[in-house]
Amino acid sequence: MTLADLIAQAREALNTAIATRQQEQDALIALRSDETLTEEAVRDQVARRDAADAEVTRRQDALAELETEQAREVELAALQARTVPAATRAPAYDQVARVGAEERTYRADQDRRGQHFERDVAAAFLGDYEARDRLARHMQEERVERGDQLRAVGTGAFAGLVVPQYLTDLYAPAAAARRPFADAIRRHDLPAQGMSVNISRITTSTSAALQASENTGVSETGIDDTLLTIPVQTIAGQQTLSRQAIERGAGVEPIVLDDLFRRYATTLDSTLLNQATTGLAASAATITYTSGTPKVVEAYPQVVAGLAGVESAMLDQASGENIVVMHSRRWYWLQNGLSSTWPLISQPGIAAQMGGTNLGATYGSGVRGVLPNGTPVIVDNNVVTNLGGGTNQDEIYVADRNECHLWEDPNAPMYIRAEQPAAASLGVLMVVYGYAAYTHSRYAHAQKITGTGLVAPAFTGV
């Protein structure tokens, strides 16, 4: 089998690995659009996708190694094909004058352009030991005759040869808060048409009461509903790139597209939390936590009060799948608290002496931990931290995750690549957009903890 055959096999294996990786990615996208998905199922599929990705990298490296070897073989064949002039025959012993010193290894009268020296440099690089010996002898001769003139030369002397390298595969994308809350709540496919969705809410219920006496009228109240109208909103961003940047740059277009996707996700999530009137912060009932010296042991009861408020509002419609949403600084502040007191009532799966559980998950990967009463925590840095009189407060939100609804197009965000609008200036327009609708108010249930007890935390261990 030749080297060309090995390269062909390696290319086929790489194509197969790429196809497998694409299948795993498609399966992950399909899984994420399933309303019944679980965190474990998503993690398993992500692991399979990452394993397929690693296999692509391994196959890619193997192909690159074979292609490098092939290029080297071609280079060596070209060197071998060159004709090296035969050495000039030395004159007879009695036909030369002697000056009491050996001849130089490389002589200007025999090789004015230094071709013999250059050939030996190339041959030494390829492993020719005789060429290495000649070069070593030449350096010794230079030290003897011109030692006072020799000096070390650094890379600065070769500005046109020692070129900087740009590690484009290690570029640092702009950090983004992305969409931890949006990924944690109840998601639906957005209807294909219309710029609003409507939900009927029973706001006047029927009634039942004790009958006053036999054969007397029983309680009757006419049922009535109120229409909850939810607008479909558009989130979009654009970037115009020069064709030179795309065609002469390294990975410019996918890098810009990735950043647009990250901004889209961050805007969607921030809207769910912070939009006026309808965002979680605006629709939640307020629990005020006031303290001049905030302590973890004071803040935790406020969260429990929020959970009580959620269930009181939901009654028999409570799913029991409550979540607590907070900024990362608040999550780490809760972890810094130390106490010798234990809760009076233990919770399933949590030892009484533990103040909750940190699951060790990375940011944006789902539930970060569990509070002492078993409620999962979603850490989201789209939670604002400039509230209150000192513009240094954040808030903690408590909600039933199944009553925070998000409608999204399964293919969102969409991507438009338009060359014609800016063709005259050699520009390419890139647009990312998507439609979404949401509500936290099918049942008015969410709670928020706010106040001076939630100023920028001091990590004092209490």
Side-chain angles (χ1 to χ4, degrees):
M1 182 176 290
T2 65
L3 188 57
D5 294 333
L6 292 175
I7 291 175
Q9 286 185 355
R11 284 177 179 157
E12 183 177 354
L14 176 58
N15 290 335
T16 301
I18 292 173
T20 301
R21 193 267 181 195
Q22 187 58 48
Q23 291 175 358
E24 298 296 346
Q25 177 66 11
D26 292 342
L28 178 59
I29 293 174
L31 183 63
R32 282 174 170 163
S33 66
D34 186 354
E35 294 183 10
T36 62
L37 68 87
T38 63
E39 294 289 344
E40 183 178 359
V42 172
R43 283 197 299 270
D44 290 345
Q45 185 57 39
V46 168
R48 286 192 290 271
R49 191 275 314 275
D50 291 346
D53 207 10
E55 179 65 12
V56 170
T57 301
R58 189 177 73 82
R59 294 293 185 182
Q60 187 178 14
D61 292 343
L63 176 59
E65 183 177 352
L66 289 172
E67 289 177 337
T68 301
E69 184 177 345
Q70 184 185 49
R72 188 59 178 160
E73 290 296 325
V74 172
E75 182 182 359
L76 290 176
L79 286 173
Q80 190 175 18
R82 293 179 183 175
T83 300
V84 179
T88 303
R89 186 172 181 177
Y93 179 82
D94 58 353
Q95 294 179 352
V96 296
R98 289 171 171 75
V99 294
E102 294 184 0
E103 292 185 1
R104 295 291 303 266
T105 304
Y106 304 106
R107 292 170 51 186
D109 61 331
Q110 294 181 351
D111 184 17
R112 291 185 178 278
R113 296 186 178 181
Q115 293 178 346
H116 293 171
F117 173 75
E118 291 177 355
R119 290 195 190 99
D120 278 351
V121 171
F125 179 76
L126 298 176
D128 187 329
Y129 292 103
E130 293 183 358
R132 291 180 183 177
D133 290 342
R134 287 192 292 272
L135 290 171
R137 189 161 61 248
H138 169 68
M139 287 304 298
Q140 181 60 32
E141 292 165 356
E142 288 292 297
R143 292 189 187 97
V144 171
E145 296 188 14
R146 295 193 300 163
D148 59 337
Q149 302 177 33
L150 294 179
R151 63 185 180 89
V153 178
T155 58
F158 305 101
L161 298 177
V162 182
V163 296
Q165 298 297 307
Y166 293 89
L167 306 180
T168 56
D169 58 325
L170 292 178
Y171 86 98
R178 304 197 71 167
R179 46 178 294 165
F181 177 61
D183 288 337
I185 62 178
R186 188 174 177 182
R187 296 171 63 192
H188 314 272
D189 287 347
L190 186 68
Q193 295 178 329
M195 290 304 292
S196 65
V197 294
N198 297 288
I199 297 177
S200 172
R201 300 173 62 234
I202 304 300
T203 50
T204 302
S205 62
T206 61
S207 63
L210 294 175
Q211 188 180 24
S213 62
E214 295 180 14
N215 294 320
T216 59
V218 298
S219 176
E220 179 182 7
T221 301
I223 192 170
D224 193 14
D225 77 336
T226 300
L227 197 63
L228 176 61
T229 300
I230 305 163
V232 175
Q233 303 186 71
T234 304
I235 302 170
Q238 66 175 336
Q239 187 77 190
T240 300
L241 298 177
S242 70
R243 186 167 291 279
Q244 292 89 336
I246 295 174
E247 296 180 354
R248 303 290 296 175
V252 172
E253 187 170 3
I255 287 174
V256 173
L257 184 60
D258 174 72
D259 193 70
L260 283 170
F261 282 160
R262 294 159 70 86
R263 300 313 126 190
Y264 176 93
T266 302
T267 299
L268 171 64
D269 192 86
S270 180
T271 301
L272 296 176
L273 288 171
N274 305 312
Q275 189 170 34
T277 307
T278 56
L280 185 62
S283 60
T286 299
I287 298 174
T288 303
Y289 166 38
T290 303
S291 177
T293 55
K295 298 179 177 60
V296 173
V297 293
E298 295 175 349
Y300 174 66
Q302 312 302 321
V303 177
V304 176
L307 291 167
V310 169
E311 187 161 320
S312 177
M314 295 290 297
L315 300 177
D316 68 330
Q317 295 302 308
S319 70
E321 295 188 33
N322 299 320
I323 56 174
V324 175
V325 184
M326 64 183 68
H327 194 276
S328 61
R329 75 180 191 180
R330 192 59 53 194
W331 170 238
Y332 285 107
W333 179 68
L334 291 178
Q335 293 182 58
N336 108 107
L338 303 173
S339 174
S340 60
T341 59
W342 297 348
L344 296 177
I345 301 175
S346 65
Q347 302 294 332
I350 300 179
Q353 63 270 28
M354 295 194 315
T357 302
N358 179 15
L359 299 181
T362 57
Y363 178 84
S365 60
V367 175
R368 294 290 294 276
V370 180
L371 295 180
N373 66 341
T375 305
V377 174
I378 302 297
V379 172
D380 192 329
N381 284 346
N382 284 307
V383 173
V384 297
T385 58
N386 61 349
L387 303 175
T391 63
N392 62 345
Q393 298 175 19
D394 54 84
E395 295 178 333
I396 300 175
Y397 305 107
V398 184
D400 186 325
R401 70 194 306 168
N402 289 318
E403 282 305 323
C404 295
H405 298 267
L406 170 62
W407 288 265
E408 281 188 285
D409 189 306
N411 297 318
M414 277 73 81
Y415 170 47
I416 298 174
R417 187 183 192 274
E419 300 185 7
Q420 291 304 317
S425 58
L426 288 181
V428 177
L429 175 64
M430 302 168 61
V431 180
V432 168
Y433 75 99
Y435 305 116
Y438 75 92
T439 183
H440 311 303
S441 301
R442 195 175 78 128
Y443 292 97
H445 73 288
Q447 310 284 310
K448 67 178 179 182
I449 297 92
T450 187
T452 57
L454 296 179
V455 296
F459 296 91
T460 58
V462 296

Coordinates of all heavy atoms in Angstrom, one line a residue, residues 8-70:
A8 N -5.8 8.5 0.9 CA -7.2 8.3 0.5 C -8.1 7.7 1.5 O -9.2 8.1 1.8 CB -7.2 7.5 -0.8
Q9 N -7.5 6.6 2.2 CA -8.3 6.0 3.3 C -8.5 7.0 4.4 O -9.6 7.0 5.0 CB -7.5 4.8 3.8 CG -7.5 3.6 2.9 CD -6.8 2.4 3.6 OE1 -6.2 2.5 4.6 NE2 -6.9 1.3 2.9
A10 N -7.5 7.8 4.8 CA -7.7 8.8 5.9 C -8.8 9.8 5.5 O -9.6 10.2 6.4 CB -6.4 9.5 6.1
R11 N -8.8 10.2 4.2 CA -9.9 11.2 3.8 C -11.3 10.6 3.9 O -12.2 11.2 4.4 CB -9.6 11.7 2.4 CG -8.4 12.7 2.3 CD -8.2 13.0 0.9 NE -7.1 14.0 0.8 CZ -6.3 14.2 -0.2 NH1 -6.5 13.5 -1.3 NH2 -5.4 15.1 -0.2
E12 N -11.4 9.3 3.5 CA -12.7 8.7 3.6 C -13.1 8.5 5.1 O -14.3 8.7 5.4 CB -12.6 7.3 3.0 CG -13.9 6.5 3.0 CD -13.8 5.2 2.2 OE1 -12.7 4.9 1.7 OE2 -14.8 4.4 2.2
A13 N -12.1 8.2 6.0 CA -12.5 8.0 7.4 C -12.9 9.4 8.0 O -13.8 9.5 8.8 CB -11.3 7.5 8.2
L14 N -12.2 10.5 7.6 CA -12.6 11.8 8.0 C -14.0 12.2 7.6 O -14.8 12.7 8.4 CB -11.6 12.8 7.5 CG -11.8 14.3 7.9 CD1 -11.9 14.5 9.4 CD2 -10.8 15.2 7.3
N15 N -14.3 11.9 6.3 CA -15.7 12.2 5.8 C -16.7 11.5 6.6 O -17.8 12.0 7.0 CB -15.8 11.9 4.4 CG -15.0 12.8 3.5 OD1 -14.7 14.0 3.9 ND2 -14.5 12.4 2.3
T16 N -16.4 10.2 6.9 CA -17.4 9.4 7.7 C -17.5 10.0 9.1 O -18.7 10.1 9.7 CB -16.9 7.9 7.8 OG1 -16.7 7.4 6.5 CG2 -17.8 7.1 8.6
A17 N -16.4 10.4 9.7 CA -16.5 11.0 11.1 C -17.3 12.3 11.1 O -18.1 12.6 12.0 CB -15.1 11.2 11.6
I18 N -17.1 13.1 10.0 CA -17.9 14.3 9.9 C -19.4 14.1 9.8 O -20.2 14.7 10.4 CB -17.3 15.2 8.7 CG1 -15.9 15.7 9.0 CG2 -18.3 16.4 8.4 CD1 -15.3 16.4 7.8
A19 N -19.7 13.1 9.0 CA -21.1 12.7 8.8 C -21.7 12.2 10.1 O -22.9 12.6 10.5 CB -21.3 11.7 7.7
T20 N -21.0 11.4 10.9 CA -21.5 10.9 12.2 C -21.7 12.1 13.2 O -22.7 12.2 13.9 CB -20.5 9.9 12.8 OG1 -20.3 8.8 11.9 CG2 -20.9 9.4 14.1
R21 N -20.7 13.0 13.2 CA -20.8 14.2 14.1 C -22.0 15.0 13.7 O -22.8 15.5 14.6 CB -19.5 15.0 14.0 CG -19.4 16.0 15.1 CD -19.9 17.4 14.7 NE -19.8 18.4 15.7 CZ -20.4 19.5 15.7 NH1 -21.3 19.8 14.8 NH2 -20.2 20.4 16.7
Q22 N -22.3 15.2 12.4 CA -23.5 16.0 12.0 C -24.8 15.3 12.5 O -25.8 15.9 12.9 CB -23.5 16.1 10.5 CG -24.6 17.1 10.0 CD -24.5 18.5 10.6 OE1 -23.4 19.1 10.7 NE2 -25.6 19.0 11.2
Q23 N -24.8 13.9 12.4 CA -26.0 13.2 12.8 C -26.2 13.4 14.3 O -27.4 13.6 14.8 CB -25.8 11.7 12.5 CG -25.8 11.4 11.1 CD -25.5 9.9 10.8 OE1 -25.2 9.1 11.7 NE2 -25.6 9.5 9.5
E24 N -25.2 13.4 15.1 CA -25.3 13.6 16.6 C -25.8 15.0 16.9 O -26.5 15.2 17.8 CB -24.0 13.3 17.3 CG -23.5 11.8 17.1 CD -24.4 10.8 17.8 OE1 -25.3 11.2 18.6 OE2 -24.2 9.6 17.5
Q25 N -25.3 16.0 16.1 CA -25.7 17.4 16.3 C -27.2 17.5 16.0 O -27.9 18.2 16.7 CB -24.8 18.3 15.5 CG -25.2 19.8 15.5 CD -25.0 20.4 16.9 OE1 -24.4 19.8 17.8 NE2 -25.5 21.6 17.2
D26 N -27.6 16.9 14.9 CA -29.0 17.0 14.5 C -29.9 16.4 15.5 O -31.0 16.9 15.8 CB -29.2 16.3 13.1 CG -28.5 17.0 12.0 OD1 -28.2 18.2 12.2 OD2 -28.3 16.4 10.9
A27 N -29.4 15.2 16.1 CA -30.2 14.6 17.1 C -30.3 15.4 18.4 O -31.3 15.5 19.0 CB -29.5 13.2 17.5
L28 N -29.2 16.2 18.7 CA -29.2 17.1 19.9 C -30.2 18.2 19.6 O -31.0 18.6 20.5 CB -27.8 17.6 20.1 CG -27.7 18.6 21.2 CD1 -28.1 18.0 22.6 CD2 -26.2 19.1 21.3
I29 N -30.3 18.8 18.4 CA -31.2 19.9 18.1 C -32.6 19.3 18.2 O -33.5 20.0 18.8 CB -30.9 20.4 16.7 CG1 -29.5 21.1 16.7 CG2 -32.0 21.4 16.3 CD1 -29.1 21.6 15.4
A30 N -32.9 18.1 17.7 CA -34.2 17.6 17.8 C -34.6 17.3 19.2 O -35.8 17.5 19.6 CB -34.3 16.3 17.0
L31 N -33.7 16.8 20.0 CA -33.9 16.5 21.4 C -34.3 17.8 22.2 O -35.2 17.8 23.0 CB -32.7 15.8 22.1 CG -32.9 15.4 23.5 CD1 -34.0 14.4 23.7 CD2 -31.6 14.9 24.1
R32 N -33.6 18.9 21.9 CA -33.8 20.1 22.6 C -35.2 20.7 22.3 O -35.7 21.6 23.1 CB -32.7 21.2 22.3 CG -31.4 20.9 23.1 CD -30.3 21.8 22.7 NE -29.2 21.7 23.6 CZ -28.0 22.1 23.2 NH1 -27.7 22.6 22.1 NH2 -27.0 22.0 24.1
S33 N -35.8 20.4 21.2 CA -37.1 20.9 20.8 C -38.2 20.1 21.4 O -39.4 20.4 21.3 CB -37.2 20.9 19.3 OG -37.2 19.6 18.8
D34 N -37.9 19.0 22.1 CA -38.9 18.1 22.8 C -39.2 18.7 24.1 O -38.4 19.0 25.0 CB -38.3 16.7 22.9 CG -39.3 15.7 23.5 OD1 -40.4 16.1 23.8 OD2 -39.0 14.5 23.5
E35 N -40.5 18.9 24.3 CA -41.0 19.5 25.6 C -40.7 18.6 26.8 O -40.7 19.1 27.9 CB -42.5 19.9 25.5 CG -42.8 21.0 24.5 CD -44.3 21.3 24.5 OE1 -45.0 20.8 25.4 OE2 -44.7 22.0 23.6
T36 N -40.6 17.3 26.6 CA -40.5 16.4 27.7 C -39.1 16.0 28.0 O -38.8 15.1 28.7 CB -41.3 15.1 27.3 OG1 -40.7 14.5 26.2 CG2 -42.8 15.4 27.1
L37 N -38.1 16.8 27.4 CA -36.7 16.4 27.5 C -36.3 16.6 29.0 O -36.9 17.4 29.8 CB -35.8 17.2 26.6 CG -35.7 18.7 26.9 CD1 -34.6 19.0 27.9 CD2 -35.4 19.5 25.6
T38 N -35.3 15.8 29.4 CA -34.7 15.9 30.7 C -33.3 16.4 30.6 O -32.6 16.2 29.6 CB -34.7 14.5 31.4 OG1 -33.9 13.6 30.7 CG2 -36.2 14.0 31.5
E39 N -32.8 16.9 31.7 CA -31.4 17.4 31.7 C -30.4 16.2 31.4 O -29.4 16.4 30.7 CB -31.0 18.0 33.1 CG -31.8 19.3 33.4 CD -31.3 20.4 32.6 OE1 -30.2 20.3 32.0 OE2 -32.0 21.4 32.5
E40 N -30.7 15.0 32.0 CA -29.9 13.9 31.8 C -29.8 13.5 30.3 O -28.8 13.2 29.8 CB -30.4 12.7 32.6 CG -29.5 11.5 32.5 CD -30.0 10.3 33.4 OE1 -31.0 10.5 34.1 OE2 -29.3 9.2 33.4
A41 N -31.0 13.5 29.6 CA -31.0 13.1 28.2 C -30.2 14.1 27.4 O -29.4 13.7 26.5 CB -32.4 13.1 27.7
V42 N -30.3 15.4 27.7 CA -29.5 16.4 27.0 C -28.0 16.2 27.2 O -27.2 16.2 26.3 CB -29.9 17.8 27.4 CG1 -29.0 18.9 26.8 CG2 -31.4 18.1 26.9
R43 N -27.6 16.0 28.5 CA -26.2 15.7 28.8 C -25.7 14.5 28.0 O -24.6 14.6 27.5 CB -26.0 15.6 30.3 CG -26.1 16.9 31.1 CD -25.5 16.7 32.5 NE -26.2 15.7 33.3 CZ -27.2 16.0 34.0 NH1 -27.7 17.2 34.2 NH2 -27.9 15.1 34.7
D44 N -26.5 13.4 28.0 CA -26.0 12.2 27.3 C -25.8 12.5 25.8 O -24.8 12.1 25.2 CB -27.0 11.1 27.5 CG -27.1 10.6 28.9 OD1 -26.1 10.9 29.7 OD2 -28.0 9.9 29.3
Q45 N -26.8 13.2 25.2 CA -26.6 13.5 23.8 C -25.5 14.5 23.5 O -24.8 14.3 22.5 CB -27.9 14.1 23.2 CG -27.9 14.4 21.7 CD -27.7 13.1 20.9 OE1 -28.1 12.0 21.3 NE2 -26.8 13.2 19.9
V46 N -25.2 15.5 24.4 CA -24.1 16.4 24.3 C -22.8 15.6 24.3 O -21.8 15.8 23.6 CB -24.1 17.5 25.3 CG1 -22.8 18.2 25.4 CG2 -25.3 18.4 25.1
A47 N -22.8 14.6 25.3 CA -21.6 13.7 25.4 C -21.3 13.0 24.1 O -20.2 12.8 23.6 CB -21.7 12.8 26.6
R48 N -22.4 12.4 23.5 CA -22.2 11.7 22.2 C -21.8 12.6 21.1 O -20.9 12.3 20.3 CB -23.5 11.0 21.8 CG -23.8 9.8 22.7 CD -25.0 9.0 22.1 NE -26.3 9.7 22.2 CZ -27.1 9.6 23.3 NH1 -26.7 8.8 24.3 NH2 -28.2 10.2 23.3
R49 N -22.3 13.8 21.1 CA -21.9 14.8 20.1 C -20.4 15.2 20.2 O -19.7 15.2 19.3 CB -22.8 16.0 20.2 CG -22.7 17.1 19.0 CD -21.6 18.1 19.2 NE -21.5 18.6 20.5 CZ -22.2 19.7 20.9 NH1 -23.1 20.3 20.1 NH2 -22.1 20.2 22.1
D50 N -20.0 15.4 21.5 CA -18.6 15.8 21.8 C -17.7 14.6 21.4 O -16.5 14.9 20.9 CB -18.5 16.2 23.2 CG -19.2 17.5 23.5 OD1 -19.5 18.2 22.6 OD2 -19.3 17.8 24.7
A51 N -18.1 13.4 21.7 CA -17.2 12.2 21.3 C -17.1 12.2 19.8 O -16.0 11.9 19.3 CB -17.9 10.9 21.9
A52 N -18.2 12.4 19.1 CA -18.1 12.4 17.6 C -17.2 13.5 17.1 O -16.4 13.4 16.2 CB -19.5 12.5 17.0
D53 N -17.2 14.7 17.8 CA -16.4 15.9 17.5 C -14.9 15.5 17.7 O -14.1 15.9 16.9 CB -16.8 17.0 18.4 CG -16.5 18.4 17.7 OD1 -16.1 18.3 16.5 OD2 -16.6 19.4 18.4
A54 N -14.6 14.8 18.8 CA -13.3 14.4 19.1 C -12.7 13.5 18.0 O -11.6 13.5 17.6 CB -13.2 13.8 20.5
E55 N -13.6 12.6 17.6 CA -13.2 11.6 16.5 C -12.9 12.4 15.2 O -11.9 12.0 14.5 CB -14.3 10.6 16.3 CG -14.0 9.6 15.2 CD -12.9 8.7 15.5 OE1 -12.4 8.7 16.7 OE2 -12.4 8.0 14.6
V56 N -13.7 13.4 14.9 CA -13.4 14.2 13.7 C -12.0 14.9 13.8 O -11.2 14.9 12.9 CB -14.4 15.3 13.5 CG1 -14.0 16.3 12.4 CG2 -15.8 14.7 13.1
T57 N -11.7 15.4 15.0 CA -10.4 16.0 15.2 C -9.3 15.0 15.1 O -8.2 15.3 14.5 CB -10.3 16.7 16.7 OG1 -11.4 17.6 16.8 CG2 -9.0 17.3 16.9
R58 N -9.5 13.8 15.6 CA -8.4 12.8 15.6 C -8.2 12.4 14.1 O -7.1 12.2 13.7 CB -8.9 11.5 16.4 CG -7.8 10.5 16.5 CD -8.3 9.4 17.4 NE -9.2 8.5 16.7 CZ -8.9 7.5 15.9 NH1 -7.6 7.3 15.6 NH2 -9.8 6.8 15.3
R59 N -9.3 12.2 13.3 CA -9.1 11.8 11.9 C -8.5 13.0 11.1 O -7.7 12.7 10.2 CB -10.5 11.5 11.3 CG -11.2 10.3 11.9 CD -10.4 9.0 11.6 NE -11.1 7.8 12.0 CZ -10.6 6.6 11.9 NH1 -9.5 6.4 11.3 NH2 -11.3 5.5 12.3
Q60 N -8.8 14.2 11.5 CA -8.3 15.3 10.8 C -6.8 15.4 11.0 O -6.0 15.7 10.1 CB -9.0 16.6 11.3 CG -8.6 17.9 10.6 CD -9.3 19.1 11.1 OE1 -9.9 19.0 12.1 NE2 -9.3 20.2 10.3
D61 N -6.3 15.2 12.3 CA -4.9 15.2 12.6 C -4.2 14.1 11.9 O -3.0 14.3 11.4 CB -4.7 15.1 14.1 CG -5.2 16.3 14.9 OD1 -5.4 17.3 14.2 OD2 -5.4 16.2 16.1
A62 N -4.8 12.9 11.8 CA -4.1 11.8 11.1 C -4.0 12.1 9.6 O -2.9 11.8 9.1 CB -5.0 10.5 11.3
L63 N -5.0 12.7 9.0 CA -4.8 13.1 7.6 C -3.8 14.1 7.4 O -3.0 14.0 6.5 CB -6.2 13.6 7.1 CG -6.2 14.1 5.6 CD1 -5.8 13.0 4.6 CD2 -7.6 14.6 5.3
A64 N -3.7 15.1 8.3 CA -2.7 16.2 8.2 C -1.3 15.6 8.3 O -0.4 16.0 7.6 CB -3.0 17.2 9.2
E65 N -1.1 14.6 9.2 CA 0.2 14.0 9.4 C 0.6 13.3 8.1 O 1.8 13.4 7.7 CB 0.1 13.1 10.6 CG 1.5 12.4 10.9 CD 1.4 11.5 12.1 OE1 0.3 11.5 12.8 OE2 2.4 10.8 12.4
L66 N -0.3 12.6 7.5 CA 0.0 11.8 6.2 C 0.3 12.8 5.1 O 1.3 12.6 4.3 CB -1.1 10.9 5.8 CG -1.3 9.7 6.7 CD1 -2.6 9.0 6.4 CD2 -0.2 8.7 6.6
E67 N -0.5 13.9 5.0 CA -0.2 14.9 3.9 C 1.1 15.6 4.1 O 1.8 15.9 3.2 CB -1.4 15.9 3.9 CG -2.7 15.3 3.4 CD -3.8 16.3 3.4 OE1 -3.7 17.2 4.2 OE2 -4.8 16.1 2.7
T68 N 1.5 15.9 5.4 CA 2.8 16.5 5.7 C 3.9 15.5 5.3 O 4.9 15.9 4.7 CB 2.9 16.8 7.2 OG1 1.8 17.7 7.5 CG2 4.2 17.4 7.5
E69 N 3.7 14.2 5.6 CA 4.7 13.2 5.2 C 4.9 13.1 3.7 O 6.0 13.0 3.2 CB 4.3 11.9 5.8 CG 5.3 10.8 5.5 CD 5.0 9.5 6.2 OE1 4.1 9.5 7.1 OE2 5.5 8.4 5.8
Q70 N 3.7 13.2 3.0 CA 3.8 13.1 1.5 C 4.5 14.4 0.9 O 5.3 14.2 0.0 CB 2.4 13.1 1.0 CG 2.3 12.9 -0.6 CD 0.9 13.0 -1.1 OE1 0.2 13.9 -0.8 NE2 0.5 12.0 -1.9

